[in-house]
Structure formats: structure tokens, C-alpha cells
Amino acid sequence: MKKTECTWYDRKRHLGLPISFTKYYIFEDRFFNETGFFTTNIEEILLYRIRDISVQINLWQKIFGVGTIVLISSDKTMPSLEVKNIKNPRGVKEIMHQEIERMKDSKRIRVGEILDGHDNCDLDQYEGEEEN
């Protein structure tokens, strides 16, 4: 059985210190969000389902050297996830981006952008015309 390695790990931080029961980690093909002390909940998102990553850093987060990463995914149970108050959010975003791209390449997944839910074919121009 193949043993997978943890690519990245951190805890949600308060005042810059990792004194929280919320843990975030990336294994080979999944992102995990673990919360709780008495009752532990573990949510996961397959990396190839993550469609967008953004970083948000407010003034207090700048003071304590942390930030928030927002993940938007095509996962039904967790379409968006805020990875709050983590150390080095810009570097972590780059790690996530590289891992997501690696997984999409390995699974040969590429999603084209859809503009307004329509394709470029204009069917209105054919209305009223009859074939002879």
C-alpha cells in the first residue's frame, strides 16, 4: 500500500499563535479541513475540483503575520471554504496552485470557461428560415 505524504499543514491561528482546534492540511490529492475538540469533523475537497484560489489579508491579519485563503470548488458539499488565519498565506496559495495543477494534469482534467452559459452559436438568425 502506498503511503501518502502531507504536502502542507497548519492550524487556524489566534493572535498569530496556533492555539486552535481547526487544522488544515493537504495530502497528495485532497485538501482537508478538520475542526472540533470533543466532536471532530473532517471535510475534504479533491484538489482537481478547486476552481479558484484567492488571498485576503486585513489589517489585523497583517499585524499578526497571517491571512485567509478562499477556495472555490465544484464540490457539492463544500462549494467554498475559507482557510482562516494561516501563516504565510501567499506562499501557501502558491503551494496549493502547484498541487492543484499537478492533479489536474495527472487526471487530464481541463475545464473551459463558459461565457454567460451560452456558446457562440446564434440560433436566432435561423428562425423563420426554411430549408428548401
Side-chain angles (χ1 to χ4, degrees):
M1 180 176 198
K2 181 181 166 185
K3 184 177 179 181
T4 58
E5 275 189 37
C6 183
T7 305
W8 171 81
Y9 168 83
D10 202 358
R11 288 178 177 255
K12 182 178 178 181
R13 294 169 181 265
H14 296 285
L15 303 176
L17 300 172
I19 50 174
S20 171
F21 295 108
T22 301
K23 300 174 188 175
Y24 307 110
Y25 44 97
I26 298 174
F27 274 102
E28 186 175 311
D29 61 346
R30 295 173 284 175
F31 178 86
F32 291 90
N33 176 27
E34 184 176 324
T35 57
F37 178 67
F38 292 113
T39 302
T40 302
N41 295 320
I42 301 173
E43 294 284 341
E44 71 178 65
I45 300 175
L46 293 169
L47 289 178
Y48 71 86
R49 289 193 171 172
I50 296 174
R51 296 183 305 158
D52 189 43
I53 310 169
S54 62
V55 175
Q56 299 173 349
I57 305 171
N58 63 33
L59 179 61
W60 291 110
Q61 288 174 323
K62 284 180 186 179
I63 291 170
F64 292 107
V66 297
T68 298
I69 295 177
V70 179
L71 303 174
I72 306 297
S73 74
S74 59
D75 190 89
K76 299 285 186 198
T77 60
M78 192 178 296
S80 72
L81 171 66
E82 288 188 350
V83 183
K84 295 182 180 181
N85 296 336
I86 59 167
K87 190 176 177 182
N88 189 18
R90 291 179 182 103
V92 173
K93 178 188 176 281
E94 287 307 312
I95 291 170
M96 286 183 175
H97 174 73
Q98 290 171 2
E99 290 298 311
I100 289 165
E101 289 302 312
R102 186 180 60 77
M103 282 309 302
K104 285 181 179 179
D105 288 343
S106 72
K107 299 229 182 247
R108 298 180 184 178
I109 296 173
R110 287 288 154 211
V111 178
E113 302 252 350
I114 299 174
L115 303 175
D116 298 328
H118 303 295
D119 57 9
N120 292 332
C121 182
D122 186 11
L123 296 177
D124 293 337
Q125 69 182 353
Y126 298 109
E127 280 186 22
E129 291 183 16
E130 296 180 19
E131 286 187 32
N132 292 337

